[in-house]
Amino acid sequence: MTIPHIIEQVVFYFSAIMVVISGIMVIAQRNPVRGALALVLAFVFSAVLWILLESEFLALALIFVYVGAVMTLFLFVVMMLDMDIEPMKRNFVRYLPIGLFISVLVLAFMIYVVAPEHFGLSKYAKPLHASAAYSNVKELGHVLYTKFVYPFELAAVLLLVAMVSAISLALPVVRERKLQNPAEQVMVKREDRIRLVNVPSEKRID
Amino acid sequence: MIALSNYLILGAILFSLSIAGFVLNRRNVITLLMCVELMLLAVNMNFIAFSHYLNDIKGQVFVFFILTVAAAETAIGLAIVVLLYRNKKTIDVQELDSLKG
């Protein structure tokens, strides 16, 4: 075991433990602001793990998109809503046994499936490190703009739809808008609009 | 040398943590949305680990699209939460029972 391997292991285990700890903080915090900050921590350490897996572009996208945009949106919404944290305490203890039971069950099944005897180093050997000339961004962009160009454009359309729907959902409804009512315009009668006034003519003044 | 199963087990732990979050925090919609984010992170971790160990870039492309869809989902979900709060003055899941017969 050489020094780089030891460093890799230390980075992996430290980041993995930090991800798990911040995940526990996300679900155990009563204050949603602290929960959001714990989720940011989870994203940052996941980005470290993704860099360890040599997918640099997605690690940076996770930081930029998630921490920079999505979690900021979360914090904005959390701070905009004036929610009471107090009554949220009650259910936590009540649902703790069933929650622990379900999650431990799911975890046991998943670990049984992905156990080291199925996905260990003997089955899937660690691939060689990419050379210094290898560019993950270049590789991903190449695939994305040739083979997956239609899904890529669909993703752009999806983002547009999401933007339009989010704006139209959250835009406050203005009651005093000056809108036309076409039915009213069509149904209008002559008597509604025109009033004939019989004005007596004045005498001529000499 | 870190095995593939280490990353998969980490993803499994994150996934089951967020399931526990769903069950425990049945009051706050925002916390539920954050649990969904944690769940997607676990899935993305598995995709990237497989992409690295099988030496196939398609896993990363998939994660790219998952990130896009997750961002859209979060934007719309938070807009719905804001609308919900404006109309009902609460985001407590247990009090949103208008559909109860």
Side-chain angles (χ1 to χ4, degrees):
Chain A
M1 192 155 248
T2 53
I3 297 290
H5 287 160
I6 293 171
I7 291 176
E8 197 179 347
Q9 293 226 324
V10 166
V11 169
F12 172 79
Y13 283 109
F14 176 71
S15 306
I17 289 169
M18 285 307 287
V19 167
V20 171
I21 286 174
S22 42
I24 292 171
M25 273 161 70
V26 170
I27 66 169
Q29 284 292 344
R30 278 151 203 157
N31 192 345
V33 178
R34 289 188 191 164
L37 292 176
L39 196 53
V40 168
L41 200 66
F43 282 139
V44 169
F45 281 104
S46 301
V48 173
L49 287 175
W50 290 9
I51 283 185
L52 213 59
L53 285 171
E54 295 178 13
S55 67
E56 290 87 8
F57 173 74
L58 286 169
L60 291 177
L62 190 77
I63 297 283
F64 293 150
V65 175
Y66 264 81
V67 178
V70 174
M71 293 319 293
T72 315
L73 194 65
F74 259 105
L75 282 176
F76 263 111
V77 171
V78 167
M79 291 179 179
M80 223 160 65
L81 307 181
D82 172 37
M83 62 189 93
D84 47 343
I85 305 161
E86 205 56 35
M88 289 172 190
K89 287 178 187 172
R90 291 197 305 258
N91 282 23
F92 197 82
V93 180
R94 198 177 132 204
Y95 290 119
L96 193 60
I98 181 87
L100 274 184
F101 175 70
I102 291 175
S103 62
V104 166
L105 198 69
V106 170
L107 184 65
F109 276 119
M110 283 206 263
I111 287 184
Y112 176 70
V113 172
V114 301
E117 58 256 34
H118 299 139
F119 290 100
L121 275 175
S122 54
K123 293 283 168 61
Y124 291 92
K126 173 96 179 148
L128 294 174
H129 286 290
S131 64
Y134 173 78
S135 166
N136 176 246
V137 182
K138 204 170 169 183
E139 188 88 1
L140 194 58
H142 183 71
V143 176
L144 213 53
Y145 280 109
T146 53
K147 206 169 177 182
F148 294 94
V149 67
Y150 286 132
F152 187 63
E153 288 172 356
L154 273 180
V157 173
L158 182 77
L159 281 179
L160 179 71
V161 170
M163 190 179 78
V164 170
S165 62
I167 291 173
S168 66
L169 275 174
L171 201 67
V173 183
V174 182
R175 291 264 151 31
E176 286 85 28
R177 267 187 300 185
K178 289 177 178 166
L179 284 177
Q180 292 182 333
N181 189 351
E184 216 170 73
Q185 289 179 333
V186 171
M187 291 289 286
V188 75
K189 298 261 171 29
R190 179 177 173 270
E191 289 76 35
D192 299 338
R193 298 285 162 89
I194 297 174
R195 189 165 56 97
L196 289 178
V197 184
N198 207 357
V199 183
S201 55
E202 291 181 5
K203 289 264 173 58
R204 187 177 166 191
I205 301 165
D206 286 322
Chain B
M1 299 288 257
I2 299 153
L4 173 60
S5 55
N6 289 23
Y7 288 99
L8 298 184
I9 287 173
L10 177 64
I13 290 172
L14 271 184
F15 198 84
S16 54
L17 265 182
S18 45
I19 288 177
F22 266 107
V23 180
L24 296 180
N25 298 305
R26 303 227 302 212
R27 311 229 78 179
N28 196 340
V29 182
I30 301 229
T31 313
L32 293 188
L33 274 175
M34 289 199 278
C35 286
V36 173
E37 298 294 327
L38 207 61
M39 214 175 245
L40 286 169
L41 185 74
V43 173
N44 286 343
M45 185 82 75
N46 277 12
F47 266 116
I48 289 190
F50 271 115
S51 163
H52 180 60
Y53 280 86
L54 299 179
N55 208 358
D56 190 344
I57 196 89
K58 290 195 198 80
Q60 296 185 25
V61 175
F62 221 102
V63 172
F64 182 83
F65 290 126
I66 292 177
L67 286 184
T68 313
V69 174
E73 169 249 328
T74 310
I76 296 180
L78 286 175
I80 290 175
V81 169
V82 169
L83 206 64
L84 208 61
Y85 185 76
R86 200 182 290 151
N87 290 333
K88 300 263 181 188
K89 298 287 165 224
T90 179
I91 52 164
D92 193 332
V93 183
Q94 314 258 314
E95 287 178 26
L96 301 172
D97 50 2
S98 323
L99 284 179
K100 206 190 276 175

